[in-house]
Amino acid sequence: MSSEATGLAHGACSRRRYLRLLGIFWRNSVASEMEYRFNFLANAVLSVFWLAWAAVGVSVYFRFADEVSGWTYPELLVVVGLFFAVNGVRQAMITPNLARMTEYIRMGTLDFLLTKPVDVQFMVSLRHVGVLNWLDPVLGVVLAGIGVAAADQTLTIGAVVAFVVLLGAAIVILYALALALMSASVWTVSSEGMDDVLQGMVETSRLPVQLYRGVLQTVLTIGVPVAFLTTFPAEALLGRGDARLLVVAPLIALVAVAAATAIWRFALHSYSGASS
Amino acid sequence: MTDVADSARRLAVAYRGMVRSAVANALAYRGRLAIWLLTSLFPLIMMVVWLNVVAEQGPAASWDRSDFVSYYVAAALVFQVTQSHLVWIWDEDLRNGTMSFKLLKPVGVYHQFLSQEIGIRLVTLAFFLPIVVVAALTVGDVRYPVGGARLMLVALAILLGFLLSCTMAMSFALIGFWSTQSANLYLLWWGAGAFLSGWIAPLEVLPDALRSLATVLPFRSTVGFPLELLLGRLDSAEIVIGFAVTVGWLGCFGAVFGLGWGAAVRRYQAVGG
């Protein structure tokens, strides 16, 4: 996520400062979660369980068809794996911050954060990290790899590079969506349900967008950029991606972050503090 | 005899008050809309995939487009009624000491949680029931070939499914008195049950072995049984068996909870106590 810190900082010196801060913050978050060692282990077991659950669950469709909307079972596993990866990133980096917005605004913590000599967007959106689901992204990528192998695809270097670029763009887009929801909670004075909305969006990326067909597919590609989260990176990994996306996806990610940052600033302008 | 009638009347009065306050709470909670959205998303996604399968390959295990649409429209409602966050709320109450207050109240903790769940369901039903009714009347693909008497049975099946899922959830919540992992254990139970309940897919499109197993396990009562009843896919014998299995498991989990509760209260040490 260093690219966002870069966007916020001014010059190399402050970039290094923000990276150092991020290191301190995240070490602190990890340390406090690691206190509950057993819970940590139990969540790892659950991660494995849910991954197997999802992989076996989608196999039901293939009792009746060899492929659904152009996706075979192994190919679909690539998307399911990437869904776990992206959803794991959401749970680790976004939920812990988004969940704190209600408290920031109700308790006046946001006023306090505004007085700190650190960019407030950085503090609000990246300060906390959760490690309970750390296994999700790892297992997700492993499942995607298994899917690629089972689909008899040979990985080319080009495909891997395209995949990394598209997955990076996916995570930046996810951050932008989260920042927009955080801005919305400045107005609604509560982030209640905001994480559920984001989870809903990510949840629709559990399956490739082609399976939604018609209007819904268009909405999920252009309206809410769900297709960018898992479908496009999966297609790249399977060697059938659209080369134009390598330009379009990073561009959309940049525009999304810029727009979300503008919304955030606008929200802060209309914020009048907890006590007034 | 008057004593029993008297305490039943007092409980009814308590329930009326508790359910009313739970309804007010549920209405005040704005996040509910987002949670509805999220819970309704799963049946929608699963329906869309099945419609693709049917459109591309023809009926799956004799289920055609109309069957899947009818199943998942009603499933959106049944999921809302029979899925609950009770274990998480219970766990939170144990951690932050709210359980102590609940234990001090003159009404049993079981009743407090149940009335809370009923209140939430009333608000949910007020929102979802009209949607299902309108869909059934206007969307050509949504067909429920059942008359008045059968609809009463469907309502009864949903009610029993709700009670069974609450009792199962509370039995798992009791583990919270001994361990911090009650919610995680419940998730494992629910996750395994999703294949046997009709959540992952209608049971009729699953392998025969799973279907037979599902008939005798408790999970089908909370999703598949009411839905199959509504879709008119069960004969009289299957209906009787379905209700018998539901009531049987309700008794089993009721007994588990009853026994466990006594041990749990003896074991309980409040936060700061």
Side-chain angles (χ1 to χ4, degrees):
Chain A
M1 286 307 279
S2 61
S3 62
E4 270 123 37
T6 317
L8 300 164
H10 321 282
C13 168
S14 83
R15 188 179 311 152
R16 229 177 304 134
R17 178 168 156 256
Y18 274 89
L19 281 176
R20 199 168 58 83
L21 277 175
L22 207 57
I24 296 169
F25 287 151
W26 286 10
R27 259 202 304 280
N28 166 271
S29 289
V30 171
S32 65
E33 259 189 30
M34 291 291 275
E35 284 172 22
Y36 305 95
R37 266 163 221 272
F38 189 71
N39 215 20
F40 193 72
L41 194 73
N43 269 277
V45 173
L46 272 181
S47 289
V48 176
F49 176 75
W50 286 126
L51 190 81
W53 187 88
V56 176
V58 293
S59 75
V60 176
Y61 308 119
F62 298 92
R63 292 190 71 220
F64 305 98
D66 290 332
E67 55 171 64
V68 182
S69 303
W71 291 78
T72 63
Y73 181 51
E75 289 168 352
L76 200 63
L77 286 185
V78 178
V79 176
V80 173
L82 293 184
F83 159 73
F84 265 79
V86 171
N87 197 42
V89 170
R90 176 187 71 82
Q91 285 171 305
M93 305 193 46
I94 292 173
T95 306
N97 295 299
L98 196 50
R100 284 181 167 86
M101 274 307 283
T102 306
E103 179 197 322
Y104 287 165
I105 293 159
R106 282 223 181 120
M107 310 297 285
T109 316
L110 188 58
D111 299 23
F112 174 63
L113 289 178
L114 279 165
T115 63
K116 291 203 176 195
V118 182
D119 186 281
V120 69
Q121 179 184 335
F122 170 80
M123 283 300 282
V124 161
S125 60
L126 293 171
R127 162 72 180 81
H128 293 278
V129 66
V131 287
L132 278 180
N133 294 91
W134 69 276
L135 209 54
D136 280 4
V138 178
L139 288 174
V141 171
V142 169
L143 181 65
I146 293 173
V148 171
D152 281 332
Q153 284 286 329
T154 34
L155 274 183
T156 60
I157 294 199
V160 174
V161 170
F163 164 72
V164 171
V165 169
L166 290 178
L167 194 65
I171 288 165
V172 174
I173 288 171
L174 192 65
Y175 171 81
L177 287 172
L179 185 59
L181 287 171
M182 284 178 169
S183 315
S185 34
V186 172
W187 287 303
T188 61
V189 199
S190 162
S191 60
E192 233 171 30
M194 294 289 179
D195 193 48
D196 298 295
V197 171
L198 192 64
Q199 191 188 343
M201 287 183 196
V202 176
E203 204 62 61
T204 51
S205 75
R206 191 183 272 270
L207 297 169
V209 283
Q210 286 83 358
L211 263 64
Y212 295 111
R213 299 212 295 194
V215 184
L216 202 55
Q217 183 181 339
T218 314
V219 169
L220 291 178
T221 310
I222 300 166
V224 192
V226 165
F228 288 86
L229 294 184
T230 58
T231 307
F232 293 154
E235 284 174 339
L237 209 52
L238 288 165
R240 60 178 197 211
D242 188 335
R244 285 172 299 181
L245 281 175
L246 290 178
V247 180
V248 174
L251 211 62
I252 287 184
L254 283 180
V255 170
V257 167
T261 306
I263 295 173
W264 168 254
R265 298 225 168 109
F266 184 61
L268 272 194
H269 268 293
S270 70
Y271 176 71
S272 52
S275 55
S276 55
Chain B
M1 198 59 215
T2 46
D3 268 3
V4 176
D6 195 44
S7 66
R9 200 170 43 80
R10 277 219 305 263
L11 190 60
V13 172
Y15 256 85
R16 214 170 56 199
M18 289 191 298
V19 168
R20 194 176 295 160
S21 101
V23 167
N25 262 328
L27 283 174
Y29 177 45
R30 283 180 292 184
R32 173 110 5 241
L33 204 66
I35 292 171
W36 277 346
L37 189 105
L38 192 64
T39 329
S40 313
L41 209 60
F42 285 96
L44 181 76
I45 291 178
M46 291 185 278
M47 179 181 82
V48 167
V49 179
W50 280 116
L51 293 187
N52 275 346
V53 173
V54 171
E56 289 165 14
Q57 314 275 333
S62 89
W63 278 55
D64 61 17
R65 184 187 160 81
S66 159
D67 292 321
F68 282 113
V69 174
S70 308
Y71 185 88
Y72 281 111
V73 165
L77 180 121
V78 172
F79 284 2
Q80 297 282 352
V81 173
T82 56
Q83 312 298 319
S84 87
H85 289 96
L86 195 147
V87 178
W88 286 266
I89 301 169
W90 189 296
D91 192 43
E92 188 65 31
D93 282 353
L94 279 173
R95 272 171 213 238
N96 65 22
T98 312
M99 186 57 78
S100 306
F101 291 103
K102 292 198 165 158
L103 279 165
L104 282 173
K105 288 189 180 171
V107 183
V109 171
Y110 176 88
H111 296 305
Q112 291 174 43
F113 274 97
L114 193 60
S115 59
Q116 183 76 33
E117 294 288 309
I118 293 172
I120 294 170
R121 294 313 181 284
L122 287 178
V123 175
T124 311
L125 276 179
F127 186 82
F128 277 90
L129 199 55
I131 295 178
V132 175
V133 171
V134 168
L137 294 176
T138 58
V139 181
D141 276 326
V142 181
R143 280 201 294 267
Y144 301 123
V146 287
R150 190 61 75 84
L151 275 179
M152 296 298 285
L153 281 183
V154 173
L156 180 65
I158 294 176
L159 177 68
L160 287 173
F162 164 73
L163 288 176
L164 177 57
S165 66
C166 281
T167 316
M168 278 200 291
M170 278 195 240
S171 302
F172 273 88
L174 280 184
I175 298 172
F177 283 95
W178 286 271
S179 154
T180 53
Q181 299 301 315
S182 61
N184 286 341
L185 287 171
Y186 179 71
L187 272 179
L188 289 178
W189 172 260
W190 183 91
F195 284 92
L196 297 154
S197 68
W199 169 281
I200 287 278
L203 288 167
E204 285 184 42
V205 304
L206 293 179
D208 285 340
L210 272 182
R211 271 169 62 191
S212 319
L213 196 59
T215 318
V216 293
L217 291 179
F219 307 106
R220 176 169 167 256
S221 306
T222 62
V223 179
F225 177 57
L227 289 174
E228 289 161 29
L229 200 55
L230 180 62
L231 265 64
R233 303 193 78 93
L234 301 178
D235 61 33
S236 311
E238 288 169 325
I239 295 174
V240 171
I241 293 171
F243 275 111
V245 168
T246 308
V247 172
W249 280 110
L250 193 55
C252 285
F253 278 99
V256 166
F257 179 82
L259 291 174
W261 177 249
V265 173
R266 276 195 298 281
R267 146 105 199 171
Y268 182 62
Q269 286 184 315
V271 173

